[in-house]
Amino acid sequence: MRVILHVDLDAFFPSVEVREHPELKGKPVVVGADPKEGKGRGVVSSASYEARKYGVRSALPISRAWKLCPNCVYLRPHFDLYIKASNAIMKILKNHADRFEQGGIDEAYLDISSRVKDFDEAGEFAEKLMEEVLDKEKLTCSIGVAPNKMVAKIASDYKKPYGLTVVKEEDVKGFLFPLKVGKIPGVGPKTDRRLKEMKIETVSDLATLNPEAMTRQFGVWGAKLHEYANGIDFSEVVEGYETKSIGREVTFEHDVDDEELILNVLDELAEDVHKEVIDCGLQFKTITIKVRYQHFDTHTRAKSLLFPTNDLVILRNNAKRLIAPYLRRNKKIRLIGLRVSTFVHR
DNA sequence: TCTGGGGTCCTAGGACCC
DNA sequence: TCTGGGGTCCTAGGACCC
């Protein structure tokens, strides 16, 4: 039998900020874009639990956060700090797993099957892990323990912050069934709405449905979803990770139609992307540009080269060629982006 | 009402090849 | 006038995650 842990750091960005600036302890802290007295453009990256009491949460427009909580402490993200803290914690976690998979800056899966004899022991194991992280890095995390990754992930979110949720094999359905379908990883706002139209609200509604109905509506993904709802997930905790794409994008302070300005910013994006490509020792074959107009209609255009390269001039010139048809359309531009992919590792 | 920036994965049509 | 089947690559768009 497998025993999988999902470790999720609590309000990670604000928690690191509070750790570095103890005078913030107990205050509502919001990490994200500059609110500019309610006129800022951008969103909340992460809010402390104190800030969440005001309704401020991740992905909320920063202007709305400002209206909900003008007295919150608003901070710009310090990614260098978060990456450092994350690396230190991941190193601790990795030491306690047969297999370890990082699932983002603030979460990881651990396969600990060989290290415990049952789920009771796994619970104690997880508790010690939470204490070790708090002791060594002064940050709290929540852990879900389950027979697979999907259930472990849902479980880690079940009691937060500093919560531990153990779901034994025989309790999986009892745990999942009362939950809203939106709790299943991969079910976002769109799928949630479509499911609601089908009168599917809870995981049990989904689980007890005819799987063919799901396949008809959602294809392969529908069949997978039906399995998830029944607590089935055979995916493994995998260590290896290869970068698939590297990109940069910027949203302008104000929507723009100044061609020269746009091309200058595109050049800067190209330089940034190029630098990271070189740092990673990669060569790319595909170049993709992205344009978002003022009302949010978004387009991408891609070009695959005949040979892989890491040349800045080639990147810059292709980016320019790709974006050209989107300029001078009497539509102001909100965002431009540049991404490279199809890597050859050298 | 307003919607960041870093990504991954999937789908679907068309080109092309055998 | 009617035109298979399988595979791969390319491109564009969309959903989702942190």
Side-chain angles (χ1 to χ4, degrees), chain A residues 84-154:
Chain A
K84 220 174 126 195
S86 170
N87 288 344
I89 292 165
M90 295 301 161
K91 201 172 153 191
I92 294 173
L93 299 179
K94 199 169 181 170
N95 260 322
H96 293 287
D98 303 334
R99 265 184 307 203
F100 170 87
E101 178 182 344
Q102 197 169 339
I105 192 167
D106 64 348
E107 60 176 86
Y109 294 96
L110 281 65
D111 188 326
I112 60 158
S113 304
S114 83
R115 301 186 180 217
V116 291
K117 71 169 197 301
D118 56 29
F119 276 91
D120 290 325
E121 237 181 76
E124 292 164 24
F125 185 101
E127 218 165 296
K128 281 192 212 135
L129 214 49
M130 289 165 69
E131 284 164 13
E132 185 178 344
V133 170
L134 180 57
D135 187 48
K136 290 187 173 158
E137 290 299 320
K138 308 294 174 214
L139 292 167
T140 66
C141 61
S142 298
I143 299 187
V145 184
N148 64 55
K149 286 168 74 178
M150 188 256 329
V151 177
K153 181 161 173 68
I154 296 175

Side-chain angles (χ1 to χ4, degrees), chain A residues 73-88:
Chain A
V73 178
Y74 288 90
L75 302 172
R76 252 33 78 236
H78 299 100
F79 287 104
D80 46 339
L81 219 57
Y82 311 149
I83 289 167
K84 220 174 126 195
S86 170
N87 288 344

Side-chain angles (χ1 to χ4, degrees), chain A residues 4 33 51 57 123 126 188 191 221 229 267 280 302 335 342-343:
Chain A
I4 310 294
R57 46 179 175 74
T191 308
W221 165 233
D267 270 353
C280 298
L335 165 151
T342 326
F343 292 127

Side-chain angles (χ1 to χ4, degrees), chain A residues 8 43 165 325:
Chain A
D8 201 317
V43 296
T165 304

Side-chain angles (χ1 to χ4, degrees), chain A residues 213-232:
Chain A
M214 285 300 294
T215 307
R216 266 198 305 281
Q217 278 292 317
F218 297 94
V220 183
W221 165 233
K224 187 102 257 172
L225 213 48
H226 188 265
E227 280 183 14
Y228 281 174
N230 282 285
I232 298 166

Side-chain angles (χ1 to χ4, degrees), chain A residues 130-265:
Chain A
M130 289 165 69
E131 284 164 13
E132 185 178 344
V133 170
L134 180 57
D135 187 48
K136 290 187 173 158
E137 290 299 320
K138 308 294 174 214
L139 292 167
T140 66
C141 61
S142 298
I143 299 187
V145 184
N148 64 55
K149 286 168 74 178
M150 188 256 329
V151 177
K153 181 161 173 68
I154 296 175
S156 71
D157 184 55
Y158 193 69
K159 279 184 241 160
K160 257 181 162 294
Y162 206 60
L164 171 63
T165 304
V166 181
V167 184
K168 301 179 189 183
E169 188 97 74
E170 62 267 33
D171 298 333
V172 165
K173 288 192 180 183
F175 171 70
L176 289 180
F177 277 16
L179 302 176
K180 298 257 185 258
V181 276
K183 289 283 180 187
I184 298 176
V187 176
K190 304 274 171 171
T191 308
D192 203 34
R193 201 177 324 136
R194 283 180 65 190
L195 288 170
K196 223 162 238 155
E197 283 164 11
M198 298 165 67
K199 298 270 175 269
I200 300 167
E201 305 242 352
T202 65
V203 175
S204 89
D205 294 340
L206 211 169
T208 50
L209 199 74
N210 174 358
E212 277 75 48
M214 285 300 294
T215 307
R216 266 198 305 281
Q217 278 292 317
F218 297 94
V220 183
W221 165 233
K224 187 102 257 172
L225 213 48
H226 188 265
E227 280 183 14
Y228 281 174
N230 282 285
I232 298 166
D233 172 23
F234 296 112
S235 67
E236 296 276 355
V237 175
V238 280
E239 306 246 352
Y241 174 72
E242 261 185 18
T243 308
K244 304 255 178 10
S245 72
I246 292 172
R248 293 287 182 274
E249 59 184 62
V250 277
T251 296
F252 294 105
E253 197 87 25
H254 305 281
D255 301 336
V256 292
D257 53 8
D258 178 345
E259 197 175 318
E260 199 187 320
L261 170 69
I262 293 166
L263 291 177
N264 283 339
V265 171

